[in-house]
Structure formats: structure tokens, C-alpha cells
Amino acid sequence: MCFFGELIARGMQLRGCTGALVDGGIRDIEWLARMDFPVYARYRTPVQSIGRWAVNAWQVDIYLPGATSARVRVRPDDFILADADGALVIPQEIVETVLERAEALTEKEARIREDLDAGMSLPDVLTKYGHV
């Protein structure tokens, strides 16, 4: 069953929403890609959702399945960072700290790539930089 598709996304986008994280199925992938409206979901499906769901709350805490814990709390003001690898929930009160650490890690990874491209071995890179 689909919980989210292009028409729902369009309605949300027109009301100021900038993307969606769906703990369920989505459809209309090509239409969503054209909308500049990122959607991350558990699975894709051709089955539409009309008559199969109802909004029962909004702006409330929810809990989604996690990778390092059974459930992850997501609050309305939390920051969601998602890409093809998955989604992260960053509590709003630590977003700035996490961003600073992520930028430092990104710089470190760039130096590691340069050293690997210059011929350094992976064990030597790990000795030089430690775990990334």
C-alpha cells in the first residue's frame, strides 16, 4: 500500500512543506523527482492510498524504526538529513554542533581520498587518520 504520492506531495509543498520522510510506501517516483520535493520512504509501490489512511495528528513526536536502536524519536523541530544511504534525525538543540563536526569529518575524508589517490595504502591511511 502507498502512503504517499505526487498529489499528496504537491498539496504539502503548496502549504510550505519542503520534503517528507515516510515510514511506509510511496509511488509516483518520477513525478516526485520533478517537483524538487525530496521524499525518503521504506519502499515503493504502485498501489494508491486513497481511502487507506487518515491524518490523525500533526506537529507531534513520532517514533520510527532505527538502525542503532529499536525506535528513534522525531520531534517537530528536529532536523532530518537524508540521502540515498538513509536518513538521520538530529535533535534541534544540537544541530549546530553536529554540523560543525560533520564539516570537520568531511574535510578529513577529503584528505584521506587525496592520500589514497596519491598511492598511500589503506592501513597507512588508517594509522595516519584513525577511524572515520
Side-chain angles (χ1 to χ4, degrees), residues 92-105:
Q92 56 101 357
E93 62 271 8
I94 63 169
V95 167
E96 192 171 323
T97 300
V98 171
L99 177 60
E100 290 168 359
R101 289 182 182 175
E103 288 174 342
L105 181 58

Side-chain angles (χ1 to χ4, degrees), residues 88-132:
L88 299 171
V89 178
I90 304 168
Q92 56 101 357
E93 62 271 8
I94 63 169
V95 167
E96 192 171 323
T97 300
V98 171
L99 177 60
E100 290 168 359
R101 289 182 182 175
E103 288 174 342
L105 181 58
T106 299
E107 291 173 15
K108 184 178 183 179
E109 288 178 338
R111 291 191 305 273
I112 290 170
R113 282 186 198 92
E114 290 172 1
D115 285 351
L116 288 170
D117 289 346
M120 186 178 275
S121 72
L122 189 54
D124 288 343
V125 167
L126 290 174
T127 299
K128 180 176 179 179
Y129 294 100
H131 179 67
V132 181

Side-chain angles (χ1 to χ4, degrees), residues 18-38:
T18 59
L21 181 61
V22 179
D23 185 20
I26 61 171
R27 58 181 259 148
D28 305 327
I29 304 302
E30 290 183 24
W31 284 100
L32 290 169
R34 295 178 196 169
M35 293 176 57
D36 191 29
F37 188 89

